[in-house]
Amino acid sequence: MQNEHRPRALRFFDVLIKLLEHRGHKVVTRGHETLVIIGEIETQISLREASNRVYRTERNWTTSDLVPNGKLIFKAGKYSWDKEWRDNKTLLEVMLAKIVARLELDAKKEAEWRERSRLAEIQRAEEERIRREIEAIRKAGQEKFDLLLKQAERFDKAQKIRALVAAARANALDDGQISQKRKEWIEWASRKAD
C-alpha cells in the first residue's frame, strides 16, 4: 500500500472496528489474520490497495507490472463465503453500514448452518444407534433360531438312533439270546442317543 493511502486505510479500519465493537462484536488478530467474531462465528477480514496491470515490451517479449491505483478493496471471509467491496464512485467509508450488515447476516447464516449440521449429526447418530439395536435383535433372534434348528436336528438323530437300538434289541431278542458284542453295542448306542 502506498504511503499516501495508508492514513485513509487506517481510518477506515478504525471506524469499522469501533462500529463492530459498538454492535457487540469483537475484532482480534491471530497471526497474520484479522478476524471479526460475531457470536461464535469468526470471519477473516482484510484491506488492500487495488492495482492496475501495466504492460510493457522489452526486446522481444511483453512483461507486466502491478501498479497501485489508490482504490481500496475490503474483503470478508474465505473461499466460497468471501465478499469484496471496492472503491468505485462510492468510497468504502460510505459502505460501512452495508459492510457490517453483510458481516452480521453472513454470521447468522453460518450459525444457522452449523446448528442444522449439529442437529442432522445428532439425528444420524440416533438413527445409527437404532439400526445397530435392530440389527443386534435380529442377529440374536437368528442365533436362537439356528440353535433351535440344531437342537431339532439332534433330537431327530437321537430319535432315529433310539429307533435303531430298539429294532436291534427286538431283533436280538427274537434270536433268543444277545451276544456280548451286540449287548455292548446296544448300550453304547443308547448312551450316544441320550
Side-chain angles (χ1 to χ4, degrees), residues 64-149:
S64 65
D65 294 317
L66 291 176
V67 178
N69 63 15
K71 295 183 178 185
L72 296 180
I73 300 173
F74 177 76
K75 182 178 176 183
K78 283 186 182 179
Y79 314 118
S80 63
W81 291 93
D82 70 343
K83 170 74 173 138
E84 282 188 355
W85 291 267
R86 296 171 172 260
D87 277 340
N88 285 315
K89 292 178 185 176
T90 308
L91 297 177
L92 282 180
E93 292 87 335
V94 177
M95 295 186 246
L96 272 168
K98 285 183 180 180
I99 292 171
V100 171
R102 177 64 184 258
L103 289 172
E104 290 174 340
L105 182 64
D106 286 351
K108 181 181 177 187
K109 287 179 182 176
E110 174 75 12
E112 289 170 352
W113 177 81
R114 286 183 184 182
E115 182 63 15
R116 284 192 308 272
S117 296
R118 185 186 70 81
L119 293 175
E121 182 56 36
I122 290 170
Q123 184 178 356
R124 274 192 298 276
E126 181 64 17
E127 288 170 357
E128 178 63 21
R129 183 190 64 77
I130 290 169
R131 188 195 64 74
R132 281 194 310 267
E133 284 180 4
I134 290 170
E135 181 62 24
I137 290 168
R138 188 201 64 75
K139 188 175 180 182
Q142 185 64 42
E143 288 173 357
K144 283 183 178 180
F145 182 69
D146 291 345
L147 179 61
L148 179 63
L149 286 177

Side-chain angles (χ1 to χ4, degrees), residues 20-33:
L20 287 165
E21 288 177 346
H22 177 72
R23 303 263 312 149
H25 312 307
K26 294 179 184 176
V27 178
V28 298
T29 56
R30 190 173 302 138
H32 296 291
E33 295 180 339

